[in-house]
Structure formats: structure tokens, C-alpha cells
Amino acid sequence: MNIVVIGAQWGDEGKGKIVDFLAGDAAAIVRYAGGANAGHTIVLGAEQYALHLVPSGILYPGKRVFLGSGMVIDPEALFAELGALKERGIDWEGRALISDRAHIVLPRYREIDKERDAGRKKPIGTTGRGIGVTYSLKSDRDGIRVADLLWEEKMRDLEPSDRDFLARYRDKLLAMSTDMAVEMRRLRGQNVLLEGAQGTLLDLDLGTYPFVSSGMSSAAGAAVGAGIGPGAIDAVIGVFKAYSTRVGNGPMPSEFDEGADSALCAFVRETGREYGVTTGRPRRCGYLDLVALRYACAVNSMDALALTHLDIYDTLDEVEACVAYRIGGRETTDFPASVEALSQAQPVLRKFPGWKRPLKKCRSFESLPQRARDYVAFIEDYTETPVGIVSVGYERGETIIRRNPWQTKR
Ligand code: IMP
């Protein structure tokens, strides 16, 4: 069975935790998009791990993880991350593998990325990791793939500094390189978890373009990025937080108002630890945006949702969520393509009574307070998608499973 886990918002939804949880029943985990712009945090007891390139499944001893064809890989960042894992006793040799079709990020792309963004009239606020540069070179057909390290003529034609850089990592990368078409064929009939990065609203095609990343972070990208056809995807799970966050620039219709909502914003940011794992930037925070979430469910053909950070709202008297946009005097529940329309959109909020009880210890859906269950039921109705997993804390065990995706057939 192949299950895709994707972000249903602007990234940072808590995918790392859900992937880590589902990885327990997977024979292999494939990350299929993005690069070192991502940041996945996983808490295991007293230990906290921040992963950028390596799939979260690496924390399970012995499990095989793949960096898929849809990824862009910065060798310096990759080996720094693997080195740090090794120091903490996580053995990766022989079980962390890279698609030979994945593209390589050169160090100078990071500077180009930053310069290009600074030169934009409206900067995107990239992570400065060279992601956009690598993906554009890929589209231009001027990129460098892992397989190209064996292509002598191509290597010879590179700038000397690029060639020297690649020569330093050549053997290490080739030792990890593999053909994903072959690997996925061999894995047929076993459980494979396809791990997304970023989120639907940062997807190059489906997101709030141009304020997006450059990879295919949506469910469709999972097939290409892993080396299978879309028909081989058995389920798509979308992860979303009980509120919204966004890093970088671009429209965010349900963003907390700087004046009226400043206390709520500070509370959510501190309680939810809403600071970027990759850049340390404070994340923009806002109400749960159900208009955007329903759009994400539709464009990814989402089978189920995983709700995270519900416990952040434990102490609030009232919880609010955005159920429509008001744009130029008209109300809509459809997510517009136009960045101008999205920037003008005013959130129409609906209030829900707070549950005012800690959720951390709840281990079944029935043990959640009725008001929390009502909030979840409203989300399910609105998005027409079941909420199969509810996370009530950072720890691996602080998770309620209503539908185990590995045991749920479409
Ligand atoms: P880039 O991917 O570095 O080009 O950045 C493009 C946009 O995507 C910026 O607004 C980033 O802040 C955002 N972004 C990229 N990766 C992530 C992520 O993993 N989480 C949240 N935002 C991200």
C-alpha cells in the first residue's frame, strides 16, 4: 500500500510527527519533494530532532528511507544532517538512499536565490536555500542530477569551482544513489509512506502563486517524485493545524489582525512554538482557514485529514475559524487563484465554545471533551473529509487514531 502524507496548509502543519507515527508500519519511507527549505521536528522522549532533507522515518532503527526524484539535494546540508544524526546514535549508512534522478543544489545557488529574491519588487521571502534556482535550472534542462555525477562529459563542461565542489561529494552521493523505479517496483505489495514537504498552498501549481515554493508539494507530486504512477497511490492524508501559520510573504486571508488579535497571536505563537525550524523566523499566525482547507482537500483528493496542535486551544474561552471570505462586498467559500483577490479577502469568522480542558492525555476520540469533538465534526462537514488522526501533543504517543490509514481501504 502506498500512502501519501502532505501538508494541507502553508507547511509546518506537523507532518513530521504524523509521518513518524505512520512510519512504524511502513517498510520504507520516501520523501518526494522540496529540499533543505523544509524543517520537520520530531520529539522522542527528551530528544528533539530537526530534519530538513532526511525523511522522518530515519528515526526508526533499520527502516529504509529514500530521498526521491522530486527532491533537490544540497550535499553540504545533507551530510551535515546525516553527520549530526550519527553523532546522536542514528545509523543511516546503507538505509538512507537518494534517487539518481534527484537534482543537486550547488552552494552558489543559495546566494543567487537570496539576490534574486531581494531584487524582486515583491520578495517571496524564500528560505535562501537555493531551492527555486535549482528547480528553475531543472525546468531549463540545465540542472545537475545525481546520475550526472557519472557523466564525464557533463562534469568536464562545468565551471571549475562547481566541478571541484561536486568532486568532493561524488563518491559519497553515488554510494547512496539508487533507481527509484526499480526500488518502488521491488516494494510493490509492501507499505510505503510517501512523505511530502511544505504544503498545498506552497505548491508551485496549486498554491498562492507566485508566493510559493518551486516543488510539487501536493499529492500529485508524490507519484512523480517517488517513481510510481498516480494509480498506485492508495490514500492521501492531509495534515493541518487547528489554526494557520505561514512563513515568508504572500496572502493569508485568515491572518490574525495585528491590532485586535495581537494577544491571541502572541499566545498561539508561543504556545505552538511557531518559529521556523529552518530559518528561526517567527511564523505568521491566523485562524483556521476552512475555505483554504476545503480547497486543499479537493485538489489533493484527500482521503482523510490529520489534525494537529488541537491542544494549543485548550485554555481559550472561544475558538474561531474562517468559514468564508468577503472580497469586494461579496462572500465566497471558494479559494480564488488571484493573489489580489486573496490579499483583499476578509475572513468571515465563526465562533465555537472552547473546551477549557487539557487534551494531552486523551487517547481516544470519545475521551475528547464534547466541544472539541464538535469542532472536529464541523471541520469534517465543511471539508467533506473525515478527520482520521488528532494530535494532542508533541510526543509520538500523544496521538488519537480514529482511522488507521494502513487499515483503511479506499
Ligand atoms: P523557498 O522554498 O525557499 O523558495 O521559499 C518559498 C516560500 O516557501 C517562502 O515563503 C518560504 O518561507 C516558504 N517555505 C519553503 N519551505 C517551507 C517549509 O518547509 N515550511 C514553511 N514554509 C516554507
Side-chain angles (χ1 to χ4, degrees), residues 19-20 23 29 42 44 49 51 53-67 81-82 85 89-97 176 195 396:
V19 167
D20 171 71
I29 298 95
I42 294 145
L44 290 184
Y49 298 86
L51 300 170
L53 280 161
V54 181
S56 316
I58 196 78
L59 300 177
Y60 278 95
K63 288 232 190 266
R64 291 207 306 157
V65 302
F66 296 94
L67 284 77
E81 197 169 316
L82 290 172
L85 284 171
I90 313 283
D91 276 322
W92 56 268
E93 274 115 341
R95 68 183 183 101
L97 299 166
M176 296 170 72
E195 171 183 348
R396 200 181 251 177

PDB file of all heavy atoms in Angstrom, residues 19-20 23 29 42 44 49 51 53-67 81-82 85 89-97 176 195 396:
ATOM      1  N   VAL A  19       4.095  11.602  10.005  1.00  0.00           N
ATOM      2  CA  VAL A  19       4.908  10.681   9.209  1.00  0.00           C
ATOM      3  C   VAL A  19       5.655   9.726  10.141  1.00  0.00           C
ATOM      4  O   VAL A  19       5.687   8.510   9.931  1.00  0.00           O
ATOM      5  CB  VAL A  19       5.911  11.451   8.307  1.00  0.00           C
ATOM      6  CG1 VAL A  19       6.955  10.510   7.721  1.00  0.00           C
ATOM      7  CG2 VAL A  19       5.178  12.163   7.199  1.00  0.00           C
ATOM      8  N   ASP A  20       6.221  10.297  11.182  1.00  0.00           N
ATOM      9  CA  ASP A  20       6.972   9.475  12.134  1.00  0.00           C
ATOM     10  C   ASP A  20       6.057   8.402  12.723  1.00  0.00           C
ATOM     11  O   ASP A  20       6.419   7.240  12.839  1.00  0.00           O
ATOM     12  CB  ASP A  20       7.520  10.383  13.239  1.00  0.00           C
ATOM     13  CG  ASP A  20       8.133   9.578  14.371  1.00  0.00           C
ATOM     14  OD1 ASP A  20       9.194   8.997  14.146  1.00  0.00           O
ATOM     15  OD2 ASP A  20       7.521   9.513  15.455  1.00  0.00           O
ATOM     16  N   ALA A  23       5.185   5.839  10.006  1.00  0.00           N
ATOM     17  CA  ALA A  23       6.372   5.123   9.525  1.00  0.00           C
ATOM     18  C   ALA A  23       6.569   3.816  10.271  1.00  0.00           C
ATOM     19  O   ALA A  23       7.176   2.879   9.741  1.00  0.00           O
ATOM     20  CB  ALA A  23       7.608   6.005   9.680  1.00  0.00           C
ATOM     21  N   ILE A  29      10.187   4.628   3.590  1.00  0.00           N
ATOM     22  CA  ILE A  29       9.635   5.990   3.582  1.00  0.00           C
ATOM     23  C   ILE A  29      10.340   6.760   2.476  1.00  0.00           C
ATOM     24  O   ILE A  29      11.572   6.756   2.381  1.00  0.00           O
ATOM     25  CB  ILE A  29       9.874   6.699   4.945  1.00  0.00           C
ATOM     26  CG1 ILE A  29       9.161   5.930   6.061  1.00  0.00           C
ATOM     27  CG2 ILE A  29       9.357   8.141   4.913  1.00  0.00           C
ATOM     28  CD1 ILE A  29      10.005   4.947   6.785  1.00  0.00           C
ATOM     29  N   ILE A  42      10.669  16.390  15.293  1.00  0.00           N
ATOM     30  CA  ILE A  42      10.108  15.180  15.913  1.00  0.00           C
ATOM     31  C   ILE A  42      10.619  15.093  17.339  1.00  0.00           C
ATOM     32  O   ILE A  42      11.813  15.275  17.590  1.00  0.00           O
ATOM     33  CB  ILE A  42      10.506  13.923  15.123  1.00  0.00           C
ATOM     34  CG1 ILE A  42       9.846  13.993  13.734  1.00  0.00           C
ATOM     35  CG2 ILE A  42      10.051  12.649  15.814  1.00  0.00           C
ATOM     36  CD1 ILE A  42      10.672  13.418  12.689  1.00  0.00           C
ATOM     37  N   LEU A  44      11.105  12.743  20.575  1.00  0.00           N
ATOM     38  CA  LEU A  44      11.115  11.355  21.065  1.00  0.00           C
ATOM     39  C   LEU A  44      11.632  11.394  22.496  1.00  0.00           C
ATOM     40  O   LEU A  44      12.831  11.557  22.723  1.00  0.00           O
ATOM     41  CB  LEU A  44      12.030  10.471  20.230  1.00  0.00           C
ATOM     42  CG  LEU A  44      11.613  10.141  18.801  1.00  0.00           C
ATOM     43  CD1 LEU A  44      12.588   9.181  18.154  1.00  0.00           C
ATOM     44  CD2 LEU A  44      10.224   9.544  18.775  1.00  0.00           C
ATOM     45  N   TYR A  49      14.472  16.197  17.383  1.00  0.00           N
ATOM     46  CA  TYR A  49      15.229  16.126  16.142  1.00  0.00           C
ATOM     47  C   TYR A  49      14.632  17.103  15.137  1.00  0.00           C
ATOM     48  O   TYR A  49      13.414  17.133  14.957  1.00  0.00           O
ATOM     49  CB  TYR A  49      15.172  14.718  15.544  1.00  0.00           C
ATOM     50  CG  TYR A  49      15.783  13.664  16.432  1.00  0.00           C
ATOM     51  CD1 TYR A  49      15.015  13.053  17.422  1.00  0.00           C
ATOM     52  CD2 TYR A  49      17.111  13.297  16.292  1.00  0.00           C
ATOM     53  CE1 TYR A  49      15.570  12.089  18.256  1.00  0.00           C
ATOM     54  CE2 TYR A  49      17.678  12.328  17.110  1.00  0.00           C
ATOM     55  CZ  TYR A  49      16.902  11.728  18.088  1.00  0.00           C
ATOM     56  OH  TYR A  49      17.444  10.783  18.909  1.00  0.00           O
ATOM     57  N   LEU A  51      14.769  17.787  11.240  1.00  0.00           N
ATOM     58  CA  LEU A  51      15.243  17.225   9.969  1.00  0.00           C
ATOM     59  C   LEU A  51      14.868  18.167   8.823  1.00  0.00           C
ATOM     60  O   LEU A  51      13.813  18.790   8.850  1.00  0.00           O
ATOM     61  CB  LEU A  51      14.606  15.849   9.744  1.00  0.00           C
ATOM     62  CG  LEU A  51      14.916  14.801  10.821  1.00  0.00           C
ATOM     63  CD1 LEU A  51      14.051  13.565  10.638  1.00  0.00           C
ATOM     64  CD2 LEU A  51      16.387  14.424  10.795  1.00  0.00           C
ATOM     65  N   LEU A  53      16.319  17.465   5.202  1.00  0.00           N
ATOM     66  CA  LEU A  53      16.345  16.699   3.950  1.00  0.00           C
ATOM     67  C   LEU A  53      16.016  15.228   4.155  1.00  0.00           C
ATOM     68  O   LEU A  53      15.386  14.596   3.316  1.00  0.00           O
ATOM     69  CB  LEU A  53      17.750  16.793   3.333  1.00  0.00           C
ATOM     70  CG  LEU A  53      18.070  18.060   2.552  1.00  0.00           C
ATOM     71  CD1 LEU A  53      19.579  18.235   2.410  1.00  0.00           C
ATOM     72  CD2 LEU A  53      17.441  18.018   1.165  1.00  0.00           C
ATOM     73  N   VAL A  54      16.465  14.691   5.263  1.00  0.00           N
ATOM     74  CA  VAL A  54      16.310  13.250   5.506  1.00  0.00           C
ATOM     75  C   VAL A  54      14.873  12.967   5.931  1.00  0.00           C
ATOM     76  O   VAL A  54      14.339  13.657   6.805  1.00  0.00           O
ATOM     77  CB  VAL A  54      17.298  12.796   6.612  1.00  0.00           C
ATOM     78  CG1 VAL A  54      17.172  11.300   6.863  1.00  0.00           C
ATOM     79  CG2 VAL A  54      18.726  13.146   6.232  1.00  0.00           C
ATOM     80  N   PRO A  55      14.234  11.951   5.323  1.00  0.00           N
ATOM     81  CA  PRO A  55      12.856  11.627   5.725  1.00  0.00           C
ATOM     82  C   PRO A  55      12.769  11.263   7.210  1.00  0.00           C
ATOM     83  O   PRO A  55      13.696  10.671   7.778  1.00  0.00           O
ATOM     84  CB  PRO A  55      12.530  10.412   4.849  1.00  0.00           C
ATOM     85  CG  PRO A  55      13.454  10.501   3.690  1.00  0.00           C
ATOM     86  CD  PRO A  55      14.710  11.131   4.201  1.00  0.00           C
ATOM     87  N   SER A  56      11.628  11.645   7.803  1.00  0.00           N
ATOM     88  CA  SER A  56      11.461  11.477   9.249  1.00  0.00           C
ATOM     89  C   SER A  56      11.579  10.010   9.680  1.00  0.00           C
ATOM     90  O   SER A  56      11.940   9.734  10.825  1.00  0.00           O
ATOM     91  CB  SER A  56      10.097  12.008   9.686  1.00  0.00           C
ATOM     92  OG  SER A  56       9.844  13.233   9.069  1.00  0.00           O
ATOM     93  N   GLY A  57      11.297   9.076   8.763  1.00  0.00           N
ATOM     94  CA  GLY A  57      11.360   7.657   9.094  1.00  0.00           C
ATOM     95  C   GLY A  57      12.733   7.184   9.538  1.00  0.00           C
ATOM     96  O   GLY A  57      12.870   6.102  10.114  1.00  0.00           O
ATOM     97  N   ILE A  58      13.760   7.987   9.322  1.00  0.00           N
ATOM     98  CA  ILE A  58      15.129   7.592   9.685  1.00  0.00           C
ATOM     99  C   ILE A  58      15.240   7.285  11.187  1.00  0.00           C
ATOM    100  O   ILE A  58      16.111   6.531  11.612  1.00  0.00           O
ATOM    101  CB  ILE A  58      16.142   8.708   9.282  1.00  0.00           C
ATOM    102  CG1 ILE A  58      17.584   8.202   9.279  1.00  0.00           C
ATOM    103  CG2 ILE A  58      16.043   9.917  10.194  1.00  0.00           C
ATOM    104  CD1 ILE A  58      17.968   7.403   8.108  1.00  0.00           C
ATOM    105  N   LEU A  59      14.333   7.859  11.968  1.00  0.00           N
ATOM    106  CA  LEU A  59      14.445   7.674  13.421  1.00  0.00           C
ATOM    107  C   LEU A  59      14.017   6.278  13.863  1.00  0.00           C
ATOM    108  O   LEU A  59      14.219   5.909  15.012  1.00  0.00           O
ATOM    109  CB  LEU A  59      13.641   8.756  14.158  1.00  0.00           C
ATOM    110  CG  LEU A  59      14.103  10.190  13.846  1.00  0.00           C
ATOM    111  CD1 LEU A  59      13.242  11.207  14.547  1.00  0.00           C
ATOM    112  CD2 LEU A  59      15.566  10.398  14.223  1.00  0.00           C
ATOM    113  N   TYR A  60      13.415   5.507  12.940  1.00  0.00           N
ATOM    114  CA  TYR A  60      13.097   4.106  13.259  1.00  0.00           C
ATOM    115  C   TYR A  60      14.303   3.252  12.888  1.00  0.00           C
ATOM    116  O   TYR A  60      14.655   3.176  11.704  1.00  0.00           O
ATOM    117  CB  TYR A  60      11.888   3.621  12.451  1.00  0.00           C
ATOM    118  CG  TYR A  60      10.571   4.017  13.044  1.00  0.00           C
ATOM    119  CD1 TYR A  60       9.922   5.161  12.626  1.00  0.00           C
ATOM    120  CD2 TYR A  60       9.989   3.234  14.032  1.00  0.00           C
ATOM    121  CE1 TYR A  60       8.698   5.527  13.177  1.00  0.00           C
ATOM    122  CE2 TYR A  60       8.765   3.586  14.584  1.00  0.00           C
ATOM    123  CZ  TYR A  60       8.131   4.727  14.147  1.00  0.00           C
ATOM    124  OH  TYR A  60       6.935   5.080  14.686  1.00  0.00           O
ATOM    125  N   PRO A  61      14.923   2.613  13.861  1.00  0.00           N
ATOM    126  CA  PRO A  61      16.116   1.821  13.548  1.00  0.00           C
ATOM    127  C   PRO A  61      15.819   0.802  12.445  1.00  0.00           C
ATOM    128  O   PRO A  61      14.775   0.143  12.460  1.00  0.00           O
ATOM    129  CB  PRO A  61      16.424   1.094  14.872  1.00  0.00           C
ATOM    130  CG  PRO A  61      15.708   1.865  15.926  1.00  0.00           C
ATOM    131  CD  PRO A  61      14.538   2.537  15.273  1.00  0.00           C
ATOM    132  N   GLY A  62      16.710   0.740  11.481  1.00  0.00           N
ATOM    133  CA  GLY A  62      16.605  -0.290  10.441  1.00  0.00           C
ATOM    134  C   GLY A  62      15.700   0.042   9.271  1.00  0.00           C
ATOM    135  O   GLY A  62      15.740  -0.634   8.254  1.00  0.00           O
ATOM    136  N   LYS A  63      14.856   1.068   9.385  1.00  0.00           N
ATOM    137  CA  LYS A  63      13.941   1.361   8.258  1.00  0.00           C
ATOM    138  C   LYS A  63      14.698   2.036   7.113  1.00  0.00           C
ATOM    139  O   LYS A  63      15.566   2.863   7.344  1.00  0.00           O
ATOM    140  CB  LYS A  63      12.824   2.300   8.717  1.00  0.00           C
ATOM    141  CG  LYS A  63      11.850   1.618   9.614  1.00  0.00           C
ATOM    142  CD  LYS A  63      10.424   1.813   9.141  1.00  0.00           C
ATOM    143  CE  LYS A  63       9.503   1.301  10.220  1.00  0.00           C
ATOM    144  NZ  LYS A  63       9.079  -0.060  10.075  1.00  0.00           N
ATOM    145  N   ARG A  64      14.295   1.687   5.894  1.00  0.00           N
ATOM    146  CA  ARG A  64      14.933   2.311   4.742  1.00  0.00           C
ATOM    147  C   ARG A  64      14.211   3.603   4.369  1.00  0.00           C
ATOM    148  O   ARG A  64      12.974   3.659   4.374  1.00  0.00           O
ATOM    149  CB  ARG A  64      14.910   1.360   3.550  1.00  0.00           C
ATOM    150  CG  ARG A  64      15.850   0.180   3.808  1.00  0.00           C
ATOM    151  CD  ARG A  64      16.378  -0.407   2.545  1.00  0.00           C
ATOM    152  NE  ARG A  64      15.315  -0.780   1.636  1.00  0.00           N
ATOM    153  CZ  ARG A  64      15.482  -0.906   0.325  1.00  0.00           C
ATOM    154  NH1 ARG A  64      16.643  -0.654  -0.224  1.00  0.00           N
ATOM    155  NH2 ARG A  64      14.492  -1.274  -0.439  1.00  0.00           N
ATOM    156  N   VAL A  65      14.977   4.637   4.091  1.00  0.00           N
ATOM    157  CA  VAL A  65      14.390   5.913   3.683  1.00  0.00           C
ATOM    158  C   VAL A  65      15.013   6.351   2.359  1.00  0.00           C
ATOM    159  O   VAL A  65      16.197   6.103   2.116  1.00  0.00           O
ATOM    160  CB  VAL A  65      14.576   7.020   4.753  1.00  0.00           C
ATOM    161  CG1 VAL A  65      13.971   6.607   6.082  1.00  0.00           C
ATOM    162  CG2 VAL A  65      16.035   7.389   4.938  1.00  0.00           C
ATOM    163  N   PHE A  66      14.203   6.975   1.543  1.00  0.00           N
ATOM    164  CA  PHE A  66      14.665   7.410   0.217  1.00  0.00           C
ATOM    165  C   PHE A  66      14.431   8.909   0.053  1.00  0.00           C
ATOM    166  O   PHE A  66      13.374   9.419   0.436  1.00  0.00           O
ATOM    167  CB  PHE A  66      13.880   6.690  -0.883  1.00  0.00           C
ATOM    168  CG  PHE A  66      14.087   5.204  -0.894  1.00  0.00           C
ATOM    169  CD1 PHE A  66      13.213   4.367  -0.212  1.00  0.00           C
ATOM    170  CD2 PHE A  66      15.149   4.643  -1.583  1.00  0.00           C
ATOM    171  CE1 PHE A  66      13.390   2.987  -0.224  1.00  0.00           C
ATOM    172  CE2 PHE A  66      15.341   3.258  -1.598  1.00  0.00           C
ATOM    173  CZ  PHE A  66      14.470   2.433  -0.922  1.00  0.00           C
ATOM    174  N   LEU A  67      15.410   9.580  -0.546  1.00  0.00           N
ATOM    175  CA  LEU A  67      15.233  10.972  -0.951  1.00  0.00           C
ATOM    176  C   LEU A  67      14.873  10.902  -2.438  1.00  0.00           C
ATOM    177  O   LEU A  67      15.716  10.534  -3.267  1.00  0.00           O
ATOM    178  CB  LEU A  67      16.505  11.789  -0.712  1.00  0.00           C
ATOM    179  CG  LEU A  67      16.788  12.177   0.756  1.00  0.00           C
ATOM    180  CD1 LEU A  67      17.347  10.996   1.546  1.00  0.00           C
ATOM    181  CD2 LEU A  67      17.753  13.341   0.839  1.00  0.00           C
ATOM    182  N   GLU A  81      23.538  17.027   8.063  1.00  0.00           N
ATOM    183  CA  GLU A  81      22.396  16.442   8.770  1.00  0.00           C
ATOM    184  C   GLU A  81      22.654  14.973   9.134  1.00  0.00           C
ATOM    185  O   GLU A  81      22.391  14.536  10.256  1.00  0.00           O
ATOM    186  CB  GLU A  81      21.167  16.544   7.867  1.00  0.00           C
ATOM    187  CG  GLU A  81      19.856  16.371   8.589  1.00  0.00           C
ATOM    188  CD  GLU A  81      18.682  16.746   7.675  1.00  0.00           C
ATOM    189  OE1 GLU A  81      18.760  17.780   6.975  1.00  0.00           O
ATOM    190  OE2 GLU A  81      17.708  16.000   7.662  1.00  0.00           O
ATOM    191  N   LEU A  82      23.203  14.237   8.175  1.00  0.00           N
ATOM    192  CA  LEU A  82      23.494  12.820   8.437  1.00  0.00           C
ATOM    193  C   LEU A  82      24.571  12.685   9.517  1.00  0.00           C
ATOM    194  O   LEU A  82      24.495  11.809  10.381  1.00  0.00           O
ATOM    195  CB  LEU A  82      23.934  12.130   7.142  1.00  0.00           C
ATOM    196  CG  LEU A  82      22.830  11.933   6.094  1.00  0.00           C
ATOM    197  CD1 LEU A  82      23.411  11.432   4.775  1.00  0.00           C
ATOM    198  CD2 LEU A  82      21.759  10.954   6.586  1.00  0.00           C
ATOM    199  N   LEU A  85      23.021  13.229  12.845  1.00  0.00           N
ATOM    200  CA  LEU A  85      22.227  12.052  13.255  1.00  0.00           C
ATOM    201  C   LEU A  85      23.153  10.964  13.793  1.00  0.00           C
ATOM    202  O   LEU A  85      22.882  10.347  14.827  1.00  0.00           O
ATOM    203  CB  LEU A  85      21.418  11.517  12.068  1.00  0.00           C
ATOM    204  CG  LEU A  85      20.178  12.312  11.677  1.00  0.00           C
ATOM    205  CD1 LEU A  85      19.607  11.804  10.364  1.00  0.00           C
ATOM    206  CD2 LEU A  85      19.099  12.240  12.768  1.00  0.00           C
ATOM    207  N   GLY A  89      23.684   8.819  17.538  1.00  0.00           N
ATOM    208  CA  GLY A  89      23.480   7.359  17.577  1.00  0.00           C
ATOM    209  C   GLY A  89      22.513   6.811  16.538  1.00  0.00           C
ATOM    210  O   GLY A  89      22.090   5.667  16.625  1.00  0.00           O
ATOM    211  N   ILE A  90      22.138   7.642  15.540  1.00  0.00           N
ATOM    212  CA  ILE A  90      21.244   7.142  14.484  1.00  0.00           C
ATOM    213  C   ILE A  90      22.096   6.690  13.301  1.00  0.00           C
ATOM    214  O   ILE A  90      22.697   7.514  12.610  1.00  0.00           O
ATOM    215  CB  ILE A  90      20.260   8.253  13.999  1.00  0.00           C
ATOM    216  CG1 ILE A  90      19.604   8.991  15.166  1.00  0.00           C
ATOM    217  CG2 ILE A  90      19.256   7.706  12.984  1.00  0.00           C
ATOM    218  CD1 ILE A  90      18.495   8.268  15.846  1.00  0.00           C
ATOM    219  N   ASP A  91      22.138   5.394  13.082  1.00  0.00           N
ATOM    220  CA  ASP A  91      22.914   4.857  11.960  1.00  0.00           C
ATOM    221  C   ASP A  91      22.107   4.988  10.677  1.00  0.00           C
ATOM    222  O   ASP A  91      20.956   4.581  10.630  1.00  0.00           O
ATOM    223  CB  ASP A  91      23.211   3.372  12.198  1.00  0.00           C
ATOM    224  CG  ASP A  91      24.438   3.219  13.065  1.00  0.00           C
ATOM    225  OD1 ASP A  91      25.374   4.013  12.878  1.00  0.00           O
ATOM    226  OD2 ASP A  91      24.431   2.330  13.946  1.00  0.00           O
ATOM    227  N   TRP A  92      22.702   5.544   9.658  1.00  0.00           N
ATOM    228  CA  TRP A  92      21.954   5.736   8.406  1.00  0.00           C
ATOM    229  C   TRP A  92      22.593   5.021   7.221  1.00  0.00           C
ATOM    230  O   TRP A  92      21.949   4.815   6.196  1.00  0.00           O
ATOM    231  CB  TRP A  92      21.818   7.226   8.095  1.00  0.00           C
ATOM    232  CG  TRP A  92      23.130   7.942   8.032  1.00  0.00           C
ATOM    233  CD1 TRP A  92      23.757   8.585   9.052  1.00  0.00           C
ATOM    234  CD2 TRP A  92      24.015   8.028   6.896  1.00  0.00           C
ATOM    235  NE1 TRP A  92      24.975   9.075   8.630  1.00  0.00           N
ATOM    236  CE2 TRP A  92      25.145   8.756   7.301  1.00  0.00           C
ATOM    237  CE3 TRP A  92      23.952   7.572   5.579  1.00  0.00           C
ATOM    238  CZ2 TRP A  92      26.216   9.036   6.450  1.00  0.00           C
ATOM    239  CZ3 TRP A  92      25.009   7.857   4.722  1.00  0.00           C
ATOM    240  CH2 TRP A  92      26.126   8.584   5.165  1.00  0.00           C
ATOM    241  N   GLU A  93      23.877   4.629   7.387  1.00  0.00           N
ATOM    242  CA  GLU A  93      24.574   4.032   6.244  1.00  0.00           C
ATOM    243  C   GLU A  93      23.844   2.781   5.752  1.00  0.00           C
ATOM    244  O   GLU A  93      23.421   1.955   6.551  1.00  0.00           O
ATOM    245  CB  GLU A  93      26.017   3.661   6.612  1.00  0.00           C
ATOM    246  CG  GLU A  93      26.967   4.832   6.438  1.00  0.00           C
ATOM    247  CD  GLU A  93      27.547   5.283   7.754  1.00  0.00           C
ATOM    248  OE1 GLU A  93      26.927   4.937   8.782  1.00  0.00           O
ATOM    249  OE2 GLU A  93      28.578   5.971   7.742  1.00  0.00           O
ATOM    250  N   GLY A  94      23.670   2.712   4.457  1.00  0.00           N
ATOM    251  CA  GLY A  94      23.032   1.540   3.865  1.00  0.00           C
ATOM    252  C   GLY A  94      21.520   1.609   3.866  1.00  0.00           C
ATOM    253  O   GLY A  94      20.866   0.832   3.179  1.00  0.00           O
ATOM    254  N   ARG A  95      20.940   2.518   4.619  1.00  0.00           N
ATOM    255  CA  ARG A  95      19.470   2.581   4.616  1.00  0.00           C
ATOM    256  C   ARG A  95      18.926   3.961   4.264  1.00  0.00           C
ATOM    257  O   ARG A  95      17.722   4.136   4.123  1.00  0.00           O
ATOM    258  CB  ARG A  95      18.888   2.087   5.940  1.00  0.00           C
ATOM    259  CG  ARG A  95      19.172   2.959   7.138  1.00  0.00           C
ATOM    260  CD  ARG A  95      18.616   2.324   8.391  1.00  0.00           C
ATOM    261  NE  ARG A  95      18.812   3.189   9.548  1.00  0.00           N
ATOM    262  CZ  ARG A  95      17.881   3.953  10.067  1.00  0.00           C
ATOM    263  NH1 ARG A  95      16.669   3.966   9.555  1.00  0.00           N
ATOM    264  NH2 ARG A  95      18.149   4.716  11.111  1.00  0.00           N
ATOM    265  N   ALA A  96      19.784   4.960   4.116  1.00  0.00           N
ATOM    266  CA  ALA A  96      19.358   6.270   3.593  1.00  0.00           C
ATOM    267  C   ALA A  96      19.861   6.339   2.153  1.00  0.00           C
ATOM    268  O   ALA A  96      21.070   6.325   1.908  1.00  0.00           O
ATOM    269  CB  ALA A  96      19.939   7.402   4.422  1.00  0.00           C
ATOM    270  N   LEU A  97      18.929   6.365   1.203  1.00  0.00           N
ATOM    271  CA  LEU A  97      19.300   6.294  -0.213  1.00  0.00           C
ATOM    272  C   LEU A  97      18.735   7.493  -0.977  1.00  0.00           C
ATOM    273  O   LEU A  97      17.729   8.089  -0.559  1.00  0.00           O
ATOM    274  CB  LEU A  97      18.776   4.991  -0.818  1.00  0.00           C
ATOM    275  CG  LEU A  97      19.347   3.719  -0.149  1.00  0.00           C
ATOM    276  CD1 LEU A  97      18.541   2.496  -0.538  1.00  0.00           C
ATOM    277  CD2 LEU A  97      20.809   3.515  -0.506  1.00  0.00           C
ATOM    278  N   MET A 176      25.150   6.370  -2.139  1.00  0.00           N
ATOM    279  CA  MET A 176      23.762   6.363  -1.646  1.00  0.00           C
ATOM    280  C   MET A 176      22.753   6.338  -2.794  1.00  0.00           C
ATOM    281  O   MET A 176      21.546   6.264  -2.545  1.00  0.00           O
ATOM    282  CB  MET A 176      23.499   7.639  -0.812  1.00  0.00           C
ATOM    283  CG  MET A 176      24.324   7.753   0.450  1.00  0.00           C
ATOM    284  SD  MET A 176      24.140   9.398   1.181  1.00  0.00           S
ATOM    285  CE  MET A 176      22.475   9.318   1.821  1.00  0.00           C
ATOM    286  N   GLU A 195       6.335  10.814   1.835  1.00  0.00           N
ATOM    287  CA  GLU A 195       6.346  11.965   2.742  1.00  0.00           C
ATOM    288  C   GLU A 195       6.508  13.275   1.983  1.00  0.00           C
ATOM    289  O   GLU A 195       7.514  13.469   1.302  1.00  0.00           O
ATOM    290  CB  GLU A 195       7.512  11.765   3.730  1.00  0.00           C
ATOM    291  CG  GLU A 195       7.791  12.953   4.586  1.00  0.00           C
ATOM    292  CD  GLU A 195       9.000  12.743   5.516  1.00  0.00           C
ATOM    293  OE1 GLU A 195       9.482  11.593   5.654  1.00  0.00           O
ATOM    294  OE2 GLU A 195       9.452  13.736   6.098  1.00  0.00           O
ATOM    295  N   ARG A 396       5.325  11.373  20.422  1.00  0.00           N
ATOM    296  CA  ARG A 396       4.849  10.348  19.495  1.00  0.00           C
ATOM    297  C   ARG A 396       3.511   9.750  19.971  1.00  0.00           C
ATOM    298  O   ARG A 396       2.592   9.546  19.199  1.00  0.00           O
ATOM    299  CB  ARG A 396       5.909   9.249  19.384  1.00  0.00           C
ATOM    300  CG  ARG A 396       5.814   8.393  18.173  1.00  0.00           C
ATOM    301  CD  ARG A 396       6.911   7.331  18.186  1.00  0.00           C
ATOM    302  NE  ARG A 396       7.943   7.579  17.186  1.00  0.00           N
ATOM    303  CZ  ARG A 396       9.033   6.823  17.038  1.00  0.00           C
ATOM    304  NH1 ARG A 396       9.232   5.800  17.815  1.00  0.00           N
ATOM    305  NH2 ARG A 396       9.922   7.109  16.110  1.00  0.00           N
TER     306      ARG A 396
END
